[in-house]
Amino acid sequence: MHIIVCIKQVPDTHQVQIDAETGCLVREGVPSIINPEDKNAIEEALRLKERHGGHVTVITMGPAQAEDALREALAMGADQAILVTGKGFAGADTWATCYALGQAIRKLGNFDLILCGRQALDGCTAQVGPELAEFLDLPQVTYVRGVEVEGKTVRAKRSLEDGYELIETQLPALLTVVKDLNVPRLPSLDEVMKAYREKEIKIWGAEDIEADPDHIGLRGSRTRIVRARTPEFKKGKTEILSGSAEQAAESLLVIFRERHII
Amino acid sequence: MKASSDEYKGVWIVSEHRAGELRKVTLELLGKGRELADTLGVELVALLLGYHVSGLCKELIEYGADKVLLADDPELEHYRTGTYARVIADQVIKRKPEILLIGATYMGRDLAPRVAKRLDTGLTADCTELSIDTEKRLLVQTRPAFGGNIMATIVTPQHRPQMATVRPRVMKAMERCVGKKGEIVRVTVSFHDEDLRVKVLEVVREAKGSANLEEADVIVAGGKGVGMPQGFAVLEELAGELGGQLGASRDVVDAGWISSTHQVGQTGKTVSPKLYVACGISGAAQHIAGMKDSEIIVAINKDPEAPIFQVADYAIVGDLHQVVPVLTRKLREYKKQVRR
């Protein structure tokens, strides 16, 4: 099996900086991690490889520092890592991102399965996975919390608001996964060192993937951010309900009645 | 598609229904859609896909739609990406709406990006505010990013339709206008082989072991202050009396005290119930990001410095193990009284 995992390096979401001109997130200089649900995707790819044989390619579109995310994936056990990078890719919305990843995947050639995290901590759109599936004309299953592959058939457990559904489709396919799927392994120090010393990361620019400059980055984005602001967390006044548990509970009962909760 | 604004007119919404009933988010979409359509001076159209669902047309019209495009076909009985995307994309290409809204539900977030890519247009996810820039005739879309730490305002300047998924429980449905008349158009559907590639083998609704927090009116949530897994029992009783759902902070989920389906927060669920009771939750920023849009927040915590009190409407500095059982008892007594 050849499994491709699309990952994203995301900033630590407690620290946010915005470029005043473009309205885009400034990623340099902020601590970074592999997007958590992408780690679940890497883990599942490795489990499927262990079960069915084959190899795992991890791919990301990002600035140079995204190499660290790829190294971590290689340390976990991925076989090949590709960084799609270059000035032209910056400021991409999900449309332009999926185009870039899609072009890179086309260059990779044959694959059986693409795994993505459901959504990224920063953008929170959950759009790249399904858009990529459309771009590559693949069946998709989103919100996946269970996967089984048998020959060319894949069966996935897809979360719903109040339960789940069992979906079946044929490979090649694209799945987006949620954290309930698995617990990602922690690479040993040895594996991390090897990932930095011995394994190679392929760097692909716009020309390598035959990307149309009008379809990538800020230029290729169909949406534009016009403003970004930090919302106020503070509500109005906080009313303190004092006294014993009995008194506090009584006060709440009155409030629930007034506010039509009961 | 890249387009001049003149060609594309109309505000469309995609209906979502279950067990023969429209989901609340559909009525909310109609409410907001009506407002946008009136500002633009265009019609509001509801897309209704399913099998034997024509009975829902009346309700869609009475909640604001001028027209319903009805696609009724056995292949549409269960939601599948391929079939729904085919019908919607075909109708959009044919009739050219300028705005297309879909609920940011499990269905909507699977469907909308697929349709947006097929139509080569921009999509904004999980919008909490929508308005019209009348000068530029643009849909102004505002949505949380970074787990709620930023509010981003976004437009799709050159491509149509402007697509957005809309967060449930934020927009307001209109008053139902019984007897309001509208047009119902039955559309013919035809599928390509690739639309039918996915099979739904089984759908399982989990009453227990699952928590529909996104649609709950009341959530009673517990954090480390609950003390141990069994500690959630008192919260569950309170939730029961209030007709609500059980929520949890990330700490207790990571500790294995309760399953992750109950987790509220940046890496859990984002909720906006009428009432959120935070018990023994300190109020880490990533938790607050997931529940700050609750209408009423009650916080119970032993620690008077707990950050949760900064966002609470009502604060009780005390032991939840004392306050919560008393509150549950009082609610039960009150209900008995009211019944007499």
Side-chain angles (χ1 to χ4, degrees):
Chain A
M1 274 189 89
H2 180 202
I3 307 165
I4 298 176
V5 185
C6 299
I7 71 171
K8 185 182 186 187
Q9 187 187 51
V10 296
D12 180 347
T13 51
H14 290 296
Q15 303 180 44
V16 165
Q17 291 175 53
I18 301 165
D19 183 312
E21 250 178 74
T22 62
C24 292
L25 302 168
V26 178
R27 294 180 205 273
E28 292 87 349
V30 177
S32 302
I33 53 174
I34 294 181
N35 180 48
E37 282 175 339
D38 296 348
K39 253 196 178 158
N40 296 109
I42 298 169
E43 173 61 32
E44 200 62 24
L46 296 172
R47 289 186 191 191
L48 287 168
K49 169 183 142 173
E50 282 156 7
R51 256 197 101 183
H52 302 276
H55 59 286
V56 174
T57 302
V58 181
I59 182 168
T60 192
M61 181 195 84
Q65 71 178 61
E67 260 200 56
D68 288 329
L70 293 173
R71 294 280 175 204
E72 197 177 338
L74 288 169
M76 283 172 74
D79 301 287
Q80 188 182 200
I82 298 171
L83 173 63
V84 175
T85 192
K87 266 219 235 139
F89 292 106
D93 69 356
T94 60
W95 199 102
T97 303
C98 109
Y99 172 80
L101 290 173
Q103 287 294 105
I105 290 172
R106 280 182 176 165
K107 183 182 162 88
L108 273 172
N110 289 332
F111 58 87
D112 297 286
L113 184 63
I114 300 179
L115 296 177
C116 310
R118 173 189 51 124
Q119 74 181 33
L121 275 189
D122 51 0
C124 315
T125 65
Q127 286 175 195
V128 172
E131 284 180 335
L132 185 57
E134 172 67 15
F135 187 51
L136 297 172
D137 191 24
L138 298 172
Q140 76 188 41
V141 189
T142 56
Y143 289 94
V144 172
R145 63 190 217 211
V147 182
E148 259 173 45
V149 172
E150 212 181 290
K152 278 271 159 195
T153 303
V154 56
R155 258 172 235 114
K157 201 177 196 186
R158 178 173 184 265
S159 283
L160 298 172
E161 271 92 352
D162 58 349
Y164 64 87
E165 51 186 1
L166 285 172
I167 307 281
E168 185 183 283
T169 193
Q170 304 301 305
L171 299 176
L174 183 147
L175 310 181
T176 78
V177 308
V178 294
K179 72 162 182 242
D180 301 328
L181 176 61
N182 57 41
V183 177
R185 65 195 64 186
L186 285 169
S188 69
L189 188 56
D190 205 44
E191 285 163 325
V192 174
M193 308 266 268
K194 261 179 127 178
Y196 275 89
R197 286 213 205 103
E198 295 173 19
K199 295 201 178 177
E200 189 208 316
I201 293 184
K202 294 201 173 96
I203 313 251
W204 288 352
E207 276 158 22
D208 296 307
I209 62 172
E210 289 170 31
D212 180 339
D214 285 333
H215 288 336
I216 58 171
L218 196 58
R219 201 157 122 193
S221 299
R222 270 55 179 151
T223 59
R224 285 278 181 282
I225 302 175
V226 295
R227 193 169 57 245
R229 62 172 212 271
T230 316
E232 283 294 306
F233 275 143
K234 276 227 166 79
K235 301 201 87 173
K237 278 191 69 187
T238 304
E239 189 179 325
I240 300 177
L241 306 179
S242 49
S244 63
E246 192 68 36
Q247 288 165 321
E250 188 61 44
S251 304
L252 266 184
L253 195 66
V254 170
I255 290 162
F256 288 170
R257 287 175 59 190
E258 279 171 5
R259 307 287 296 262
H260 304 294
I261 302 287
I262 52 171
Chain B
M1 286 94 36
K2 202 163 190 180
S4 76
S5 329
D6 298 340
E7 278 179 76
Y8 285 74
K9 292 269 185 290
V11 175
W12 285 22
I13 69 121
V14 175
S15 317
E16 199 170 332
H17 55 86
R18 210 209 302 141
E21 278 184 27
L22 290 175
R23 293 189 69 182
K24 275 203 214 129
V25 68
T26 303
L27 308 182
E28 294 158 15
L29 287 179
L30 285 169
K32 184 46 114 172
R34 182 74 266 162
E35 183 194 303
L36 298 172
D38 289 343
T39 308
L40 290 164
V42 298
E43 68 175 358
L44 176 62
V45 177
L47 284 143
L48 178 60
L49 287 72
Y51 186 46
H52 291 328
V53 290
S54 57
L56 296 172
C57 292
K58 184 164 177 294
E59 193 177 342
L60 289 168
I61 291 168
E62 291 179 351
Y63 272 102
D66 298 308
K67 181 192 286 181
V68 178
L69 295 177
L70 172 64
D72 205 296
D73 190 283
E75 294 287 8
L76 297 171
E77 183 171 9
H78 289 298
Y79 167 72
R80 281 178 297 168
T81 320
T83 51
Y84 276 53
R86 175 66 58 193
V87 172
I88 294 170
D90 281 356
Q91 290 303 313
V92 167
I93 290 169
K94 184 173 170 191
R95 298 169 195 266
K96 303 189 185 338
E98 60 200 291
I99 289 170
L100 177 61
L101 304 177
I102 305 182
T105 59
Y106 284 60
M107 179 190 101
R109 301 189 80 177
D110 180 281
L111 174 64
R114 192 96 196 198
V115 172
K117 190 74 182 78
R118 185 167 307 177
L119 297 175
D120 183 19
T121 189
L123 170 66
T124 304
D126 208 27
C127 296
T128 52
E129 287 169 43
L130 290 170
S131 62
I132 302 288
D133 176 336
T134 41
E135 205 187 293
K136 297 185 190 144
R137 209 184 167 91
L138 282 180
L139 179 66
V140 180
Q141 308 156 70
T142 302
R143 42 119 28 202
F146 263 65
N149 287 311
I150 302 189
M151 294 303 288
T153 300
I154 292 164
V155 296
T156 301
Q158 295 184 314
H159 293 76
R160 294 294 177 267
Q162 301 159 91
M163 286 187 62
T165 59
V166 178
R167 183 178 283 189
R169 297 183 62 86
V170 175
M171 309 294 172
K172 299 278 167 277
M174 286 171 53
E175 286 280 333
R176 186 170 187 163
C177 186
V178 180
K180 175 172 174 286
K181 295 277 173 272
E183 206 186 330
I184 300 172
V185 177
R186 271 184 189 270
V187 301
T188 41
V189 303
S190 70
F191 300 110
H192 302 198
D193 285 339
E194 55 265 26
D195 304 333
L196 306 167
R197 283 179 293 191
V198 168
K199 279 197 272 190
V200 179
L201 299 177
E202 201 186 347
V203 177
V204 177
R205 307 279 171 211
E206 291 167 316
K208 237 188 185 295
S210 172
N212 191 349
L213 299 180
E214 288 100 335
E215 293 181 322
D217 282 326
V218 175
I219 296 175
V220 178
K224 268 291 169 71
V226 168
M228 54 181 165
Q230 298 87 328
F232 272 94
V234 291
L235 298 190
E236 211 169 344
E237 280 192 43
L238 177 59
E241 284 305 319
L242 292 168
Q245 297 277 341
L246 200 57
S249 71
R250 179 174 156 175
D251 281 349
V252 296
V253 168
D254 285 348
W257 293 3
I258 188 169
S259 84
S260 64
T261 187
H262 298 274
Q263 186 177 328
V264 173
Q266 215 166 283
T267 48
K269 295 178 179 175
T270 299
V271 301
S272 47
K274 189 159 170 151
L275 171 67
Y276 190 89
V277 186
C279 308
I281 293 178
S282 63
Q286 60 83 21
H287 183 81
I288 289 179
M291 44 66 74
K292 64 177 166 58
D293 292 327
S294 310
E295 210 174 301
I296 305 165
I297 297 174
V298 175
I300 306 170
N301 198 302
K302 275 193 208 162
D303 176 10
E305 305 290 323
I308 191 84
F309 288 131
Q310 284 170 29
V311 299
D313 296 287
Y314 303 100
I316 296 175
V317 180
D319 185 348
L320 69 98
H321 290 292
Q322 294 189 358
V323 177
V324 171
V326 172
L327 181 58
T328 307
R329 185 195 8 110
K330 284 184 179 290
L331 283 165
R332 284 196 187 123
E333 283 165 10
Y334 171 75
K335 284 187 193 171
K336 273 205 210 115
Q337 266 183 27
V338 164
R339 269 190 225 114
R340 275 203 217 103

